[in-house]
Amino acid sequence: MAGTRTLFDKAWDAHVVSELGGDMALLHADRILLHDLSGLRALRMLKELGHAVRDPSLCFAAPDHTVSSDPALGGKGKFHETCVVPLAELTAADKIRHYAMGEQGFGILHVIGPELGITLPGASVICGDSHTCTHGGIGALAWGVGTTELVHAMATQTVMHRKPQRMRISFNGELPAWLSAKDMILHVIGAQGAGAGNGYALEYAGSAVRAMSVEGRMTICNLSIEMAAKVGMVGPDDQVFEYLNGREYAPKDEAWDLALAHWRTMPTDDEAEFDKDIDIDVSDLKPQITWGTSPEHVVAVDGLIPDPDKEADPDRRQALRAAQEYIGLNPGARLEGTDVDWVFIGSCTNSRITDLRAAADVLKGRKIAEGVCAWAVPGSEDVKRDAEAEGLDRVFTDAGFEWRLPGCSLCVGANGENVPAGKRCVSTSNRNFVGRQGTDSRTHLASPAMAAAAAVTGQITDVRKLMS
Amino acid sequence: MGKFTVLSSVAAPIDEKNVNTDIIIPIKRLVGTDRGTFGEFAFEPWRYLTEGVENPDFILNKMPYRNAEILIAGPNFACGSSREGAVWAIQEFGIRALMAPSFGGIFFNNCFQCGILPIVLPAEIIENFMRQAISDGDNPKFTIDLAANEVTAPNGDRTSFEVEPFRRDALLNGLDDLGMTLTRRDEIGAFQATDRETRPWVYL
Ligand code: SF4
């Protein structure tokens, strides 16, 4: 029906190759992104099955997970031979574009997709990685798939999916100083729960999203999967079009005009209805941070760690206790003022230039606290180069941060870089799961500004107080 | 892919919400390793106290659940990462079907890719099943009949469930998605030909 479709519906409809009965459809995959874990495995499986890559020009690869971020090693970590090199070789054999560490264009796939114009509004993007939802920040229909689905996609350029329901989350009001996209989305996950988006495609809307940078929108969309939604999108607008114009794989000249006219029709129609609507006023929001081992374990920085005894359900009580025991904090304690050992600024959530600027604003003229180990890991070679051109690398290193090479690094530690057991890390990444940053490591998710503030004081700190 | 028809087994209850993929299989077990090595590390952070030392309190270390082919889980089971290793680990452990109020979406799809049946049932039924799954030495068995869309609980009660018809057929007949989609080559070609007209900028 014309005039009543959501952004998601329009993107979905444009990709249906066949209806498979029920709510299932076979969808065209416009872009397939391959990394050094699932992408490599899928390439091998495809070969074993004896199939060819159907459209290599629509596939892109980069070994973001296992490269070392240690400048002294030049990117070559302990999985160089087993993961990084084979990905380069297999993609070369299949004529798939590949970006290697050190090469311009290299970076975390969810950073370089939009950065290189690989990701486009309304395009479908899949990757063997749950944070593929990030690409929704520029209006793409993007979701994470498993390895077998990836094999299927490479062989057929399609992917099967069940049509989800639609949920709109509207953020209105003016975001207070020193707060960011990360605080907004952490707040939602804390309030709604880690399962709240299950079965939904999310659209983020409202004046606070419109006012937000394209990078900020990617941060918000990135955390959709932490609410169990595979897809999160923002309607593309002029800001997005300006961001994309001139990027390597973005359309040029006449194709650009044609694309632009199409993209302008993408946003949700005024009459469209959602299966669920959530409205949030951000004007009173405080900096958010996680206290536990699920992204829903969120409090405002001045908040208290919940008391399991107040939880009626015995299983939930037990789960809260287990989380608190793991994280080494007591019920009723204030998170603010808790000592911190590590700080990580990076990951596909918060490693873009705007994130590094926000952290640098806090670090300028300051030193990190003694005993804190702090890393800044830019999301891509381009981010790194731009940051260095602005002198941000000096701000980080002068403060006592390590300025490292791009990649996933401490977000998941797939490259062997880990937060040591028992150590507490304020991290700008997206998961605080048990063992996520290393066996028995303790993660507190927060914004880049909050992470920088924690580095400076050596404690979980309200960045607004530090900067006032 | 093997067929899934009828399965009769004790069921191991894991009564937690939001159990994530990093618990089901930690990343360090997935990097540079091969299929066939994951079962040992399924639920590693919970299943072992330290490397190689089993946690005797964890359900999958107890009898009869060491031999369970069914898991009963809380809502949003296997949320988090896209790693298919989470399914492979559970499968290598011996699990062939799961029942929960909801599953992480990517994991849910991955199950079907591997011939594992994830069944979504209302929370009250799952809670009831978890109680019935507890063994007093009587090895209470659940029977899942996919052709009949029905689970029979140890007390004899039958509960019907729904699986997307397309997915159900594939499991019953042991068909894999890729084999089916490859028969649609022409349809995909036709889609692309039309799409190239409407969205030429997508094709590089
Ligand atoms: S930065 Fe972290 S969440 Fe993002 S793709 Fe890499 S490992 Fe996954």
Side-chain angles (χ1 to χ4, degrees), chain B residues 68-148:
Chain B
E69 293 177 72
I70 302 171
L71 272 189
I72 311 178
N76 204 25
F77 179 77
C79 60
S81 114
S82 65
R83 60 187 70 168
E84 201 161 313
V87 179
W88 298 335
I90 286 176
Q91 188 171 34
E92 287 175 19
F93 178 85
I95 300 297
R96 296 182 53 216
L98 303 107
M99 300 189 277
S102 58
F103 293 91
I106 308 177
F107 175 87
F108 186 74
N109 279 11
N110 286 342
C111 282
F112 291 107
Q113 304 300 323
C114 302
I116 301 283
L117 174 62
I119 299 174
V120 177
L121 288 169
E124 317 81 72
I125 293 178
I126 291 296
E127 279 162 27
N128 175 290
F129 279 9
M130 287 208 190
R131 282 193 295 275
Q132 292 197 51
I134 300 300
S135 171
D136 300 317
D138 53 346
N139 294 352
K141 286 198 175 166
F142 288 80
T143 300
I144 296 170
D145 183 342
L146 181 57

Side-chain angles (χ1 to χ4, degrees), chain A residues 50 64 110 174 190 240 260 265 345 433:
Chain A
D64 51 8
H110 311 319
E174 197 176 327
V240 168
L260 196 60
T265 69
I345 295 178
F433 295 164

Side-chain angles (χ1 to χ4, degrees), chain A residues 190-212:
Chain A
Q192 302 292 326
N198 204 315
Y200 290 94
L202 307 184
E203 178 174 338
Y204 301 100
S207 60
V209 172
R210 293 267 76 85
M212 187 182 289

